[in-house]
Amino acid sequence: MNRAALPHVRVLEFADGLQAAYCGKQFAAWGSDVVVVEPPSGSPVRDARPLAPASNGLDLSLTWEYVAAGKRSTTIDLADRRARRGLRRLLRGADALVTDWSPARLEESGLGFDLLERQFPGLVVVSITPFGLDGPYSAFEGGDLVAQALSGYMSLNGSPGLEPLKAPANVLAYACGVSAFVAALAGIRERQLSGRGQVVELSCVEAIASIVPFLRTEYTGIPFARSGGPAGGTTMFRCRDGYVSFLPLGDRTWPDILLGLEIEPTDVPESLQTAEGRKDLKAMRAFLSGILANHRAEDVFHALNSLRSVCGIDWTPAELLTNAHLRAREFFRELDHPQLGRILYPGPPARLSRTPMVPVEAAPDPYGEARWRRRTGRRTQATARTLERPLTGLRVIDLTHAWIGTYATMCLADLGADVVKVEAISHPDVWRGIESQPQPRGARPTSHPWNTSSLFNSVNRNKRSVVLELHTLEGRELFLRLVRDADLVAENFTPRVMENFGLGYDALRAVNPDLVMVSYSGFGASGPFRDYRANGATTETQSGWDALLGYPGGPPMMMGNMQADAITGLQMAATALVAVAHRDRTGEGQRVEGSMFEAAIGYIGEEVLRASLAGEAESRRGNRHPGMAPHSAFPCTGDDEWIAIAVRDDADWQALRSFAGPGAGLNDPRFDSTEGRLANVETLEAALTDWTRGWPARDLMSRLQTARVPAGVVQRTNEVFDDAHFQARDWFTPLDHADLGVRRYNGFPWRLSRTPPLAVLPPPRLGEHSAEVLTGELGLSENEYRSLVAKQVTGSLLDRPARSDPAPG
């Protein structure tokens, strides 16, 4: 019996770039029939580096082998009319078309959006472009690097005084692909009810901007500054044989640090003996660096985590292949590749109890001819009922906290799910009470600080907040009543927590047999590290990202704002919808058990393949690209002003050199070819730096784009608010919050042409909807509700009380 989650879905893929290819990979991983349409010259992704020697004497792209695994290929020459007829046959049988072609190119190929809608009205068209289908940047040249620059993301990463850094490897290109997959699944769900397709548009610059902390800048007026790592103070420390990352601040963790690092209290400098003194992050880093230099990294990792502190360790992709935890969980998938031999692939971002990820298959050879496979699995019958938003009618009970889970459930809420966030006054979402957060300008004087947190409010719009103390019998009973009518429960506690409440999957399934329960934790529900905690900063360190991030010749670095939380949160949303799709089709619920650690490894898959074959990892290369040069950020006139330039090929280089003119120092004949530029990249970058220093960044971007050279300003978080493209596309979303008034919140990663995402509710204050849900939906009387409030089982916290409250746990 076929146990794949999406065997009923057929996907056609036109992909020149990695974002669309990775979206298609997501479908293939869960059993969809994915056919890649290639031109006679082959997909450009087949040439993407890194390369590996194959038994047939050719070099194969490991990126292609990763993103095309499990797909099939067909070669179609769109200039040939007869071949186009074959393409139309494929389109008639497809559920979704995933493409990164521009509207003009689609039109030229006889595949314009209007024509597709007329001839294939049930087709969901997933359009992935760097800057969207309209707006001032829609015709811009440029891919991942330029999108990261213009989105505000690059401004967060790197060291002060040095160039801002892009995310490592292809992490953000793949994140855009997962984001598109989330919206595509939502669009397919609505299509199964309405019978109608629509265009799902993902602009990479907006998808990346969706995980940038703009709300903090909106609240304070202060842009984020690069500091060599996360703004909150999490630090990467060098040990005797490697690196670890943890937050050295915080009164509750200080005793654990002393114990774990075997530091005698009398050895602590007098200036750091008090809580106030330990707020000096520079002094704390200096003291602990001296201590950690004498410790083994593995010893520190296990010692601090066993004491419930959050500590990461810098593992390379090669080290992940022998990792004890991943081996215990049998994470990696082995394939006997016909040309490459034995090769290990990253496993699933989550384990679905009824419909596991399908076995890995080698990427298809070129020059194939494909027809659709026979569908396996019953399809939902269309009812001609159009939903306001694609997930309207989906009920989610949300126990998530911090960033990964709350971002995942906000994605579902934005797409129309009814998300009820359950918290406790004794233990609210930890992001409500991070002490380092500045209070927003213009907040209502009596507003409770737990309701004005920029962190919490950035990922909780469109949700309702209900207070339930789950350690009480009444709280658990009310929670189970909420679960009885839910489609999905989401949580990201460590694995012990829900069982300790008596609310594990078996208990929830007893009251709702077709429930989908989605549980993500730092390391998953099994394995030797199962009880270790994690956050975005430590996850990126131990998942191989930071081993790839940093300046050439320098140490590993962390990104600027713990974005691994949100990036793995996309996989949490995706696997939730995969399970919901199976439930909608079969009526069968299941458990989704995910791991931030494992989900993050999937974003550097080609580096895992490289390590599997060669036993070596990519060296840190800053913004440099293995197949493009120049490809970096270059200084411009003014203080900390930068422009990202990404020359894709010799044509781009000739355009850049022609525009710069003979006096720019770019006429060295070694720069004439891509291989020559790659071989002499330091000399090339030095010459280009001398030239860009004389230009204002925005003026240079405009002129280079006019010359068709991919370039973009590295925008700070405050500058993106006023950016012409974001303004023209109305990306920032105004919401009226009871304590804060109207503020601008991040926009959506995607647009759907018929059932667009909407911002309906501002982020909820703690317990703001307790009475509404418990009396209006569970049927409690007013007296019953007041009695539960008196017992502190439920209630709300809408204003600042006269006394101070305990910090959230």
Side-chain angles (χ1 to χ4, degrees), residues 142-214:
D144 188 40
L145 180 73
V146 177
Q148 290 192 43
L150 287 167
S151 71
Y153 187 94
M154 275 183 72
S155 73
L156 309 176
N157 305 318
S159 297
L162 298 178
E163 69 267 24
L165 292 177
K166 67 180 283 291
N170 295 311
V171 166
L172 283 190
Y174 293 164
C176 289
V178 179
S179 187
F181 176 61
V182 169
L185 285 179
I188 290 170
R189 180 181 185 269
E190 194 278 339
R191 168 193 184 269
Q192 290 172 341
L193 292 173
S194 70
R196 298 174 61 195
Q198 59 183 311
V199 176
V200 174
E201 177 198 348
L202 182 127
S203 157
C204 292
V205 74
E206 293 173 350
I208 296 169
S210 298
I211 60 173
V212 174
F214 290 112

Side-chain angles (χ1 to χ4, degrees), residues 491-504:
E491 57 96 3
N492 65 308
F493 297 118
T494 51
R496 60 188 171 81
V497 172
M498 291 298 286
E499 293 293 343
N500 288 349
F501 282 135
L503 297 172

Side-chain angles (χ1 to χ4, degrees), residues 30 66 80 121 201 274 280 369 385 582 628 650 731 805 808:
W30 303 106
Y66 181 56
D80 184 328
E201 177 198 348
T274 65
D280 185 342
E369 184 176 351
R385 174 170 155 251
H582 174 74
M628 302 183 207
D650 291 342
W731 189 72
D805 287 285

